[in-house]
């Protein structure tokens, strides 16, 4: 199965950041205006170089990269860790003047829906 690669050569994802996520719906809403303050799409030259080697057929790190990628998928998505962590965080969210119980619930539901879509997209790529 093809492993999605962050920082791949320019294509639809470069033209539309939401295309980097399964279904093209982008990351879950959060923060002011639905954005993540301070989160940048930084191109690290070492990361780009490593991923270029790790994802090409016969590359020096291809087998290791794919093995590690799907191991993380199993531990985070397939085994339900992402949902467990979200549940734990949601249980600790305080209701304040800046976040009502309804807003917290809507944010948790949005993130849970994204996790579900991401899990399904990765599972379909794994084959």
């Amino acid at each position: 199965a093809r492993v999605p690669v962050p920082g791949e050569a320019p294509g639809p994802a470069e033209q539309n950041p939401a295309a980097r996520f399964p279904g093209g719906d982008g990351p879950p809403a959060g923060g002011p205006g639905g954005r993540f303050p301070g989160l940048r799409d930084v191109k690290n030259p070492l990361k780009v170089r490593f991923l270029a080697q790790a994802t090409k057929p016969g590359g020096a790190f291809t087998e290791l990269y794919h093995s590690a990628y799907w191991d993380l998928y199993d531990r985070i998505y397939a085994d339900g860790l992402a949902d467990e962590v979200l549940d734990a965080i949601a249980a600790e969210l305080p209701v304040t003047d800046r976040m009502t119980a309804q807003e917290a619930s809507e944010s948790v539901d949005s993130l849970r829906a994204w996790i579900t879509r991401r899990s399904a997209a990765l599972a379909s790529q794994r084959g």
Side-chain angles (χ1 to χ4, degrees), residues 1 5 27 33 44 59 63-66 69 85 90 106 110 123 126:
V5 179
N44 179 306
E63 186 176 323
L64 177 63
Y65 176 81
H66 286 273
Y69 187 94
V85 170
E106 289 170 358
S110 174
R126 187 169 196 184

Side-chain angles (χ1 to χ4, degrees), residues 4-80:
V5 179
E8 282 185 303
E14 295 299 320
Q15 297 160 5
N16 175 9
R20 287 183 232 155
F21 295 87
D25 48 347
R35 294 187 175 92
F36 294 94
L39 185 62
R40 302 179 314 166
D41 186 17
V42 177
K43 298 280 187 198
N44 179 306
L46 292 176
K47 174 183 155 188
V48 170
R49 189 172 170 190
F50 171 78
L51 289 174
Q53 288 297 313
T55 57
K56 74 178 183 182
F61 301 104
T62 304
E63 186 176 323
L64 177 63
Y65 176 81
H66 286 273
S67 175
Y69 187 94
W70 291 115
D71 179 56
L72 287 171
Y73 162 80
D74 287 337
R75 294 188 324 193
I76 295 170
Y77 293 106
D79 291 346

Side-chain angles (χ1 to χ4, degrees), residues 99-124:
M99 180 180 285
T100 67
Q102 180 178 347
E103 290 170 330
S105 177
E106 289 170 358
S107 293
V108 168
D109 291 346
S110 174
L111 187 51
R112 188 173 314 282
W114 184 86
I115 289 170
T116 299
R117 289 190 305 271
R118 181 72 175 151
S119 298
L122 290 173
S124 72

